[in-house]
Structure formats: structure tokens, C-alpha cells
């Protein structure tokens, strides 16, 4: 099936930190309503890529497209305006505030706007609704986040992202700090978010988890996208091979090479030269979703 | 901890969460009571009551007569006002050491204005201008310190220590080392010594300020962002809060409060008392910490500070009445401060372990 336009597309992103080239002409694509996993070894550039796409840092060069339109994401607020939310690895919650306050942090609802008097009742009501929507049972939305378990905190951060994301949620290593049971809940959260039509970009180290929850996988190595897979057609060996360099399915030209800058030459997938592996760059990546 | 998590997780897994409303309600009441009795404010209040009981027992019939209470409230008023500002600063995980010195500086600047504009016989208009000058001096000085903290990334301890030195030096430079003792009579007789319906103006002002900023902290965006910034500045930044601007605002508020305290001090003593406030910061910070504010930021309240500020003053008054040298006050205040911070650290460790 000829799949829809990419929802989010990054072309040829370059980001240099002093001598270190964190992104070396990286590409990335996410389609509407899918869970796409972004994997790569330590230092492959995953975090830099995510930060770039969520507006936390600006790339030195390259382009980002949302719904086919070139955008400039110079701050997290810019990204938000395009419907992009991020669940950070450290969750970015204020532990002394309660769940309802955290959910609305930076987007408070007012009782008297002119005096900036908060409408705590309404914020609490919406928080309860948001958690219920997500199937999360918080015993007390009025308790400080510090008193919640790791999994519950994670749920608060996810609920916050879901409440405002209209298009995409980035989740940076969401299960890294969690136990088995809570990890399962996070994966459930991811599926629920996807089922609401929001694209989830999952950054993870955990291969079984990636295979369990994603529809597609994109692999970064040394600052470049080196492979794309449909989850249904791949396995741990292939993923690890792509991450370590044993297997390369797409050889994207670096920023210095001629032709690399021409938009469209690389979009969406099948046209890119040298893509040989089955399943790679498949545009019906949503699979069974 | 683990137990509650397990039940919460199990609850999520289940399809519905039928809960009898009555049970739910009583559960909430229990939780509310529990929360009330574990709050820092209630502990501070208990400490205050114990202190009063001890002094009353040691000096029956002498401690806590009505005139005592009124005197304590009156001398406490400038401390209370400064402690309100300090509460906001400490909530952001900062500290303002400069309060007593900004108090003096603001008083000096206002005093100099009065000396050159009507002196003791200055009219109401002049008095108001002088008050405004004192307030602006404090706020501007605080904003400068906030700038050092927020923009220049100088740790608050150092920024306000430097500010303390600056304020002290400026006060001496402006006055040449001699207190300005020419204060408009109308200022001294109204704000300084006068009263409103039997309550001294100093008390009225300090209570009104407490009420106003208590409401601001509890119910407005400024208050919520103050907590958020102290709790996790990076999180605040990521949701788009202009953290630097709020920090400057919070330090400016502390300066403003010190400026107001400076005017109150000037009116009360009818002189600038240049060398009279070297330990105000000790008293004020102790009050805020006793009130349950955490030096790590994010936790504390105006109510707590309000109760906390009376503890050092109660100590001072009590010691005088039972005939102990009043300089013990500072030693005891220091001990109390260290103990309060130790308790906070201890609680924090417990929480992190859990």
C-alpha cells in the first residue's frame, strides 16, 4: 500500500560538539500512527537526534519537515506548537509538586486570568480524567510526585505528553530505570498512545522490548541512519548487526557528498540507493497496527 | 512503599475500579489528617508552644503578658517581612544573606532623602516619596543579586554575600558612618509608633504582607513556578518557564521586602541603625527553615515561616525575662538552625531511601 506522507522527517542533520561529530548527516522518518523504535549503540547519536527533533538543541545543518513542511525547531516550545512532545529519560517532573500540578506545568488553567490565580480544582479534574484516559490508576493526584513509585512517575510524564501531543511523542529510554512489572505498564502505555493515533518514537537499548512494541525500527550508527526495518520482518540478530556495523542496509551519503542535500532523493524509503535488505525502508511500516 | 505500588499496579491492570464512595471519602479524611500532622508547619507550631510553655513555667506570671506579646510582635515585624521574601528565595533552592544589610541600605537612602527634603517636618507627600525610594532601592538591589544568580550563574550564597558587603559599604559611604537620625515626625508617629484600632501599624503591615504573599504563593502562577523552579529547574525550563526571569523576580521580591523592613525600622527607631543588623540574616533564615522550608528548594510555606519567625524572638524575650544574658539568643538560634537543617537532611535521606 502506498503509505501516507511521513509525519516527521529529518534530512541530513549535522551536529558537531567540538571535535565530536554527534550527527553526521542523519536522516529519520516517522509515519502517522506508528510506533517507530530508534536504536543504536551508545554514542550513535540517538540522544542528539531526539534533542534536535524535540527542539532542545539546534542542528548545525539539515532540515526537519513536519507534515511535509520545513520547520525550524529552536526551542521545546516550537516543537510543542507542532504537536511534538517528549518524555525525557529523567521524566522532567518537579518532585515536590503533585501529579496534577506537574501535568499542567507551564500550561496552567486560571480562575482569574488577569491576576494569574490558578484554578486548582479544574486542573485536578482534568488530571484525573487524563490519567483515567490512559488507564493509569493514581491513588492520589494531590500527592507530591516524589512520593510515587517509579512506574507511577513515568505514567505522570507520559500522561502529560499525551495530554498535549497532537502528533508525536518521543520517549527516551522510558523503561531504563524500571522493574519488570512497571516496564510492562510502560509498553502498554505506548500501545495505548499509538491507538489514539499519535506516533510514538521509542528510543531504547532493549531489543526484546523494541520487537515487542514497535511497528518499525530505524538504526543509527556513528551519527547516521544505517538501516530501517519492519519489525515483523526482523529479529534481534539483524538489529544488533545493524547497530554494530556488521550489517548495513542503507548507505546514506554524508553531508559533504554531492546530491545529499536534494530533498526527496531519499524520501520515503524505497528510492534510496543501495537499500537491499528485506523490509528495510519499507513504507508500509505500520505493519499490523 | 513497595506494597502501595503493587496495589496501584494491580488496580491499573483491572478493567474497572469500583470503589464505594463512602469508603473513599473516609479514606481521604484519614489521608488529609495524616498529611496535616506530618506537615512541617504543625511541628514548628509544636516547637513554638513548647517554648512558650517552658518560659511560662520558668517565669510564671511574667512571660507572655499582653504587653509582651505586643512587643514581641512589634520587634518581630521587620523580621517577618524579610522572612516572607526569604521564603520565596529558599523555595527556589537559593539563599539571601543580604537581607539585614539591604534593610539598612534602604533605610539610609530613604533617610538621606528625608534629610534633604523637609527633615523632621516633612509632609505626607514627601514621606510617601521617601517610602517609595526605600522600596525601590531594596527591590533594585535584590534584582541585581538575582541577575548575578540567574544570568551570571554565581551561586546564591556568594552572590548575596557579595551583595551583603556592597550594601554595607554603600550604607557607610552614603552616611559617612553616622546614622541618619532625622526622620519625619509624621512617619515615626504613624508607622513607627502609631496603631490602627489598638494594633500597632508595624504589626498590621507585617501581617498584611504575610497574608498577601501567602495567598500569592499558594494560589498564583508566580507561587507555583517558585516551587517548580526550586523543585527541578531543568524541568521548569523544559516546559517553557522563563526560569531566569522568575529567579530575578524572586530575589527582587526579597530585596523589596528588605526595603519595606528598612522603612519600618527607620520609622520605629527614628534612626537608620546602620550597625544594628549584622545577624538579621541568621534570624530570618532560621525562621524560614524552622517553618519547614527545605534549603534544597521546592518545599515550604508562608504559614510555616509565620510561625517560625516567632521562635527566635520568643527565645530572646524569654531569656531576658528569666534573667539569662540575651546574647545567648544568637547561640541558641544558631543551634536551632543547625538542628532544623539536620532534620531536613535526615528526612530527605529517609525519603530517598524509600
Amino acid at each position: 500500500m502506498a503509505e501516507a506522507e511521513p509525519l516527521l522527517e529529518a534530512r541530513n542533520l549535522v551536529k558537531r560538539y567540538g571535535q565530536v561529530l554527534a550527527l553526521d548527516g542523519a536522516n529519520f522518518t516517522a509515519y502517522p500512527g506508528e510506533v517507530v523504535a530508534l536504536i543504536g549503540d551508545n554514542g550513535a547519536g540517538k540522544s542528539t537526534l531526539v534533542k534536535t527533533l524535540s527542539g532542545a538543541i539546534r542542528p548545525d545543518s539539515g532540515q526537519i519537515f513536519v507534515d511535509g513542511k520545513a520547520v525550524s525547531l529552536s526551542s521545546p516550545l516550537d516543537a510543542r506548537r507542532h504537536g511534538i512532545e517528549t518524555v525525557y529519560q529523567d521524566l522532567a517532573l518537579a518532585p515536590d509538586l503533585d501529579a496534577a500540578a506537574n501535568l499542567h506545568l507551564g500550561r496552567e488553567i486560571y480562575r482569574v486570568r488577569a491576576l494569574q490565580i490558578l484554578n486548582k480544582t479544574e486542573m485536578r479534574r482534568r488530571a484525573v480524567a487524563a490519567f483515567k484516559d490512559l488507564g493509569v490508576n493514581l491513588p492520589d493526584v494531590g500527592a507530591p510526585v516524589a512520593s510515587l513509585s517509579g512506574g507511577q512517575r513515568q505514567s505522570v510524564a507520559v500522561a502529560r505528553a499525551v495530554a498535549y501531543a497532537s502528533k508525536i511523542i518521543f520517549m527516551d529510554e522510558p523503561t531504563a530505570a524500571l522493574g519488570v512489572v512497571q516496564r510492562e505498564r510502560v509498553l502498554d502505555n505506548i500501545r495505548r498512545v499509538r491507538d489514539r493515533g499519535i506516533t510514538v518514537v521509542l528510543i531504547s537499548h532493549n531489543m526484546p522490548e523494541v520487537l515487542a512494541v514497535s511497528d518499525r525500527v530505524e538504526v543509527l550508527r556513528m551519527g547516521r541512519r544505517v538501516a530501517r526495518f519492519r519489525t515483523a520482518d526482523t529479529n534481534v540478530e539483524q538489529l544488533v548487526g545493524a547497530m554494530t556495523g556488521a550489517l548495513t542496509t542503507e548507505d546514506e551519503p554524508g553531508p559533504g557528498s554531492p546530491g545529499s542535500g536534494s530533498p526527496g532523493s531519499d524520501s520515503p524509503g524505497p528510492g534510496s540507493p543501495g537499500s537491499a535488505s528485506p523490509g528495510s525502508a519499507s513504507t508500509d511500516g505500520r505493519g499490523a497496527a | 512503599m513497595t506494597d502501595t505500588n503493587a496495589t496501584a499496579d494491580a488496580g491499573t491492570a483491572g478493567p474497572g475500579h469500583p470503589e464505594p464512595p463512602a469508603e473513599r471519602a473516609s479514606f481521604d479524611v484519614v489521608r488529609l489528617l495524616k498529611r496535616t500532622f506530618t506537615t512541617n508547619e504543625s511541628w514548628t507550631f509544636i516547637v513554638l508552644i513548647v517554648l512558650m510553655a517552658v518560659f511560662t513555667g520558668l517565669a510564671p506570671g511574667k512571660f507572655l503578658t499582653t504587653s509582651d506579646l505586643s512587643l514581641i510582635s512589634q520587634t518581630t515585624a521587620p523580621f517577618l517581612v524579610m522572612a516572607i521574601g526569604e521564603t520565596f528565595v529558599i523555595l527556589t533552592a537559593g539563599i539571601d544573606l543580604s537581607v539585614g544589610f539591604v534593610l539598612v541600605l534602604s533605610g539610609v537612602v530613604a533617610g538621606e532623602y528625608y534629610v534633604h527634603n523637609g527633615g523632621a517636618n516633612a509632609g505626607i507627600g514627601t514621606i510617601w516619596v521617601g517610602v517609595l525610594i526605600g522600596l525601590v532601592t531594596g527591590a533594585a538591589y535584590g534584582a541585581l543579586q538575582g541577575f548575578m544568580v540567574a544570568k551570571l550563574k554565581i551561586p546564591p550564597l556568594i552572590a548575596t554575600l557579595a551583595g551583603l558587603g556592597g550594601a554595607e559599604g554603600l550604607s557607610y559611604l552614603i552616611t559617612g558612618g553616622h546614622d541618619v537620625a532625622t526622620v519625619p515626625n509624621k512617619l515615626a508617629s504613624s508607622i513607627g509608633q502609631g496603631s490602627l484600632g489598638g494594633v500597632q501599624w508595624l504589626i498590621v503591615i507585617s501581617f498584611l504582607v504575610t497574608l498577601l504573599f501567602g495567598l500569592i504563593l499558594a494560589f498564583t502562577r508566580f507561587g507555583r513556578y517558585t516551587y517548580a523552579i526550586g523543585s527541578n529547574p531543568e524541568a521548569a525550563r523544559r516546559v517553557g518557564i522563563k526560569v531566569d526571569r522568575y529567579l530575578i523576580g524572586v530575589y527582587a521580591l526579597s530585596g523589596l521586602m528588605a526595603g519595606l523592613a528598612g522603612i519600618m525600622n527607620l520609622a520605629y527607631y527614628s534612626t537608620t541603625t546602620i550597625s544594628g543588623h549584622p545577624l538579621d540574616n541568621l534570624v530570618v533564615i532560621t525562621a524560614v527553615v524552622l517553618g519547614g522550608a527545605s534549603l534544597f528548594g521546592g518545599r515550604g510555606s508562608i504559614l510555616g515561616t509565620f510561625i517560625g519567625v516567632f521562635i527566635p524572638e520568643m527565645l530572646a524575650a524569654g531569656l531576658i525575662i528569666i534573667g539569662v544574658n540575651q546574647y545567648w539568643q544568637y547561640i541558641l538560634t544558631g543551634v536551632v538552625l543547625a538542628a532544623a537543617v539536620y532534620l531536613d537532611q535526615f528526612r530527605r535521606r529517609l525519603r530517598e531511601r524509600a
Side-chain angles (χ1 to χ4, degrees):
Chain A
M1 71 186 165
E3 189 48 68
E5 290 281 297
L7 181 59
L8 174 73
E9 198 181 1
R11 289 189 202 145
N12 245 324
L13 295 180
V14 177
K15 180 71 192 178
R16 191 184 287 279
Y17 291 108
Q19 292 296 313
V20 181
L21 198 54
L23 294 179
D24 182 15
N27 295 348
F28 178 76
T29 317
Y31 296 96
E34 68 171 359
V35 176
V36 52
L38 176 62
I39 65 171
D41 209 349
N42 286 337
K46 299 184 302 274
S47 302
T48 311
L49 180 59
V50 171
K51 283 183 187 152
T52 309
L53 295 175
S54 60
I57 60 173
R58 304 189 72 160
D60 297 333
S61 67
Q63 288 173 293
I64 298 169
F65 300 85
V66 176
D67 279 333
K69 283 192 276 291
V71 296
S72 144
L73 305 176
S74 51
S75 77
L77 292 184
D78 271 350
R80 276 177 183 190
R81 275 191 275 276
H82 291 289
I84 302 169
E85 292 284 329
T86 307
V87 179
Y88 296 93
Q89 194 171 354
D90 65 7
L91 304 182
L93 298 171
D96 299 296
L97 296 181
D98 63 27
N102 268 290
L103 192 79
H104 290 92
L105 197 57
R107 296 155 160 137
E108 282 74 13
I109 300 165
Y110 298 98
R111 198 178 292 277
V112 186
R113 175 107 217 171
L115 296 175
Q116 296 186 349
I117 295 172
L118 303 173
N119 189 339
K120 293 187 178 182
T121 326
E122 177 63 14
M123 286 195 273
R124 187 161 297 200
R125 196 188 62 73
R126 290 200 196 178
V128 170
F131 293 126
K132 201 174 160 217
D133 259 16
L134 200 62
V136 175
N137 182 21
L138 274 190
D140 181 6
V141 290
V145 164
S147 69
L148 304 179
S149 71
Q152 289 170 331
R153 284 183 218 180
Q154 168 79 37
S155 301
V156 174
V158 172
R160 176 167 72 180
V162 171
Y164 302 103
S166 55
K167 292 182 181 138
I168 299 181
I169 295 179
F170 285 94
M171 293 201 193
D172 191 1
E173 302 274 2
T175 58
L178 300 180
V180 178
V181 177
Q182 296 181 332
R183 193 173 279 233
E184 212 35 62
R185 287 183 59 200
V186 172
L187 297 188
D188 283 343
N189 279 347
I190 291 173
R191 292 190 190 99
R192 284 198 196 98
V193 172
R194 191 255 327 267
D195 292 346
R196 304 169 115 215
I198 297 170
T199 297
V200 178
V201 181
L202 170 69
I203 294 89
S204 181
H205 264 117
N206 184 320
M207 293 305 127
E209 190 175 291
V210 164
L211 291 173
V213 77
S214 72
D215 301 308
R216 283 196 316 115
V217 183
E218 301 215 347
V219 186
L220 271 189
R221 192 163 63 82
M222 296 171 76
R224 291 191 203 188
R225 179 170 66 191
V226 292
R228 288 189 268 180
F229 300 101
R230 253 176 57 183
T231 307
D233 303 337
T234 190
N235 54 44
V236 174
E237 287 72 31
Q238 260 188 327
L239 295 181
V240 172
M243 279 168 63
T244 55
L247 172 71
T248 303
T249 62
E250 53 184 79
D251 194 16
E252 299 182 355
S257 317
S260 66
S262 81
S265 71
D266 162 58
S267 71
S272 72
S275 60
S277 163
S280 86
S282 166
T283 47
D284 58 344
R286 295 169 72 187
Chain B
M1 201 66 199
T2 21
D3 288 353
T4 49
N5 294 345
T7 48
D9 291 340
T12 317
H17 327 289
E19 272 175 290
E23 201 173 289
R24 177 93 209 177
S26 67
F27 188 44
D28 277 351
V29 170
V30 170
R31 184 181 287 143
L32 190 71
L33 281 177
K34 207 170 146 191
R35 217 185 272 168
T36 310
F37 280 102
T38 49
T39 53
N40 299 314
E41 288 91 349
S42 38
W43 283 110
T44 315
F45 194 64
I46 290 168
V47 169
L48 187 64
I49 296 295
V50 167
L51 211 56
M52 286 161 77
V54 167
F55 282 125
T56 312
L58 288 175
K62 281 197 251 168
F63 189 65
L64 286 192
T65 56
T66 22
S67 67
D68 261 357
L69 269 183
S70 136
L71 187 67
I72 289 176
S73 303
Q74 216 169 338
T75 51
T76 305
F79 289 113
L80 176 55
V81 168
M82 286 189 283
I84 298 303
E86 188 81 62
T87 304
F88 279 79
V89 171
I90 287 180
L91 277 173
T92 67
I95 193 113
D96 186 352
L97 296 179
S98 71
V99 286
F101 300 85
V102 175
L103 175 156
V104 169
L105 177 63
S106 301
V108 160
V109 173
E112 283 293 326
Y113 175 78
Y114 292 136
V115 167
H116 295 104
N117 292 276
N121 300 315
I124 297 292
T126 311
I127 289 175
W128 274 109
V129 173
V131 168
L132 202 64
I133 287 174
L135 296 181
V136 169
T137 301
Y141 203 84
L144 177 70
Q145 297 185 128
F147 181 82
M148 290 199 280
V149 171
K151 295 290 186 187
L152 307 184
K153 310 291 175 203
I154 299 171
L157 190 78
I158 299 303
T160 59
L161 184 62
L164 176 164
E168 171 92 336
L170 278 173
S171 302
Y172 277 96
L173 279 177
I174 292 170
T175 58
H178 305 292
D179 272 311
V180 178
T182 314
V183 173
N185 293 328
K186 281 181 185 155
L187 180 68
S189 63
S190 58
I191 293 178
Q193 306 292 338
S195 55
L196 176 72
V199 186
Q200 280 86 358
W201 269 111
L202 288 182
I203 299 174
V204 172
I205 293 171
S206 65
F207 280 31
L208 281 180
V209 164
T210 305
L211 183 67
L212 175 65
F213 284 94
L215 293 174
I216 286 176
L217 183 61
F219 294 110
T220 71
R221 186 175 75 176
F222 185 79
R224 174 151 293 179
Y225 286 2
T226 301
Y227 281 108
I229 289 168
S231 198
N232 186 347
E234 190 48 38
R237 217 165 267 131
R238 286 195 203 146
V239 298
I241 296 173
K242 294 191 168 48
V243 173
D244 291 356
R245 224 171 60 183
Y246 271 89
L247 275 180
I248 293 173
V250 164
Y251 282 88
L253 174 65
S254 183
L256 175 70
M257 291 295 116
L260 177 58
I263 298 295
M264 294 162 75
N265 184 71
L266 185 68
Y268 184 61
Y269 293 107
S270 283
T271 171
T272 47
T273 62
I274 299 181
S275 55
H277 301 270
L279 291 176
D280 283 13
N281 51 13
L282 171 68
V283 173
V284 165
I285 291 166
T286 303
V288 176
V289 170
L290 279 176
S294 167
L295 291 174
F296 298 99
R299 276 187 299 143
S301 72
I302 295 294
L303 176 63
T305 295
F306 178 72
I307 302 168
V309 83
F310 285 98
I311 289 178
E313 289 305 303
M314 202 67 83
L315 266 177
L319 290 175
I320 293 167
I321 286 165
I322 63 171
V324 175
N325 187 325
Q326 62 162 318
Y327 293 114
W328 277 98
Q329 180 211 351
Y330 295 114
I331 298 171
L332 287 177
T333 305
V335 170
V336 167
L337 174 62
V341 172
Y342 172 75
L343 273 179
D344 181 40
Q345 300 261 31
F346 185 70
R347 265 201 310 252
R348 183 161 283 255
R349 273 203 303 276
L350 276 185
R351 198 178 72 177
E352 268 158 20
R353 209 173 299 155

